[in-house]
Amino acid sequence: MSVISAHDLSVIKRDRLLFERLSFDLCKGNLLYVKGPNGAGKTSLLRVLTGLVEPESGQVRFAQKHIKSCREEYNQQLVYFGHKLGINHSLSAVENLSYWCQQHHVKVCRQQIFTTLETLNLVGLEDIPAGNLSAGQQRRVALARFWLNNHARLWILDEPFTALDTQGIALLTEKLQDFLAAQGAVIMTSHQKLDFACTQELYLEYRL
């Protein structure tokens, strides 16, 4: 049974048809790599799959149910990483993650957050306002959500490797491999070369 599926999706943005009648099924343990040139609709597709944007036509199903009919369950089973990190620059890394966990019903203690930030090499930066961190450090704070939510079945990531150094890329790659091995499903875009045996590819062409 598929974790997530798209059926005849069509999306229009600013009067331009990005794609039409797009369908796919993604089963547990597999990664869907969405490729295509800038402007082809990769980010728009991911936002439709998360339920943030309505398609012009078609539907998205999670565990065979329309995401509109299982919104709360879907939100708890999904971790989304978009272009906007969703970080409050006035709050510290710990405060940002504590708030995110509360909003997504992820039960963690403060020590678990500190341990996760240590894993992501942010020791000593836990209580500094996020606005004072570098772009790469801010992305690591946002990516910590994937370490904290142990119950998600689906990850959707839009260019997650951007601004990460070699060590950060290695940490995230290992985490992705572990999640897939645990039968999670992943949908992502990336300019980074992906070399996972369980990868499916979806190519979007740029339409004038």
Side-chain angles (χ1 to χ4, degrees):
M1 184 176 72
S2 64
V3 174
I4 186 171
S5 58
H7 303 273
D8 291 329
L9 290 182
S10 298
V11 170
I12 295 175
K13 184 177 182 181
R14 297 173 186 167
D15 298 323
R16 183 168 68 88
L17 179 66
L18 298 180
F19 51 82
E20 62 180 334
R21 301 187 66 81
L22 186 152
S23 299
F24 68 82
D25 286 284
L26 184 66
C27 296
K28 59 184 181 180
N30 288 324
L31 181 150
L32 179 65
Y33 182 19
V34 182
K35 303 172 67 175
N38 292 337
K42 300 186 298 295
T43 293
S44 294
L45 172 60
L46 297 195
R47 289 175 61 82
V48 167
L49 296 177
T50 61
L52 294 173
V53 174
E54 287 287 328
E56 188 72 15
S57 62
Q59 60 180 235
V60 179
R61 291 182 174 273
F62 173 72
Q64 306 300 318
K65 294 178 285 188
H66 194 291
I67 59 172
K68 285 184 176 180
S69 67
C70 61
R71 169 54 61 189
E72 185 174 351
E73 176 191 0
Y74 188 50
N75 286 342
Q76 292 179 11
Q77 296 290 328
L78 166 70
V79 182
Y80 172 58
F81 183 90
H83 284 177
K84 294 183 178 181
L85 301 181
I87 289 177
N88 186 320
H89 285 192
S90 299
L91 300 179
S92 69
V94 172
E95 290 168 336
N96 268 291
L97 292 171
S98 295
Y99 178 76
W100 183 87
C101 288
Q102 290 173 8
Q103 292 296 105
H104 291 81
H105 308 288
V106 177
K107 295 182 180 180
V108 297
C109 66
R110 189 177 177 86
Q111 184 55 49
Q112 286 174 284
I113 294 176
F114 273 92
T115 300
T116 299
L117 291 173
E118 181 180 2
T119 299
L120 292 167
N121 295 303
L122 292 170
V123 173
L125 303 175
E126 301 94 341
D127 295 316
I128 295 175
N132 293 342
L133 302 178
S134 70
Q137 289 167 340
Q138 288 180 21
R139 292 183 77 80
R140 289 190 189 216
V141 171
L143 287 167
R145 301 161 185 168
F146 295 98
W147 274 258
L148 292 169
N149 189 340
N150 294 319
H151 304 293
R153 296 171 56 194
L154 173 66
W155 291 359
I156 297 180
L157 307 94
D158 197 357
E159 298 292 347
F161 296 110
T162 301
L164 292 180
D165 57 17
T166 302
Q167 185 183 51
I169 290 172
L171 282 168
L172 180 54
T173 299
E174 182 180 4
K175 189 63 177 175
L176 285 165
Q177 291 172 327
D178 290 345
F179 183 65
L180 291 167
Q183 298 302 293
V186 177
I187 300 174
M188 67 182 293
T189 67
S190 177
H191 292 297
Q192 183 80 11
K193 180 176 173 56
L194 300 176
D195 191 22
F196 301 143
C198 52
T199 300
Q200 303 169 210
E201 291 191 359
L202 174 63
Y203 187 85
L204 300 180
E205 296 183 352
Y206 183 87
R207 296 183 176 219
L208 297 175

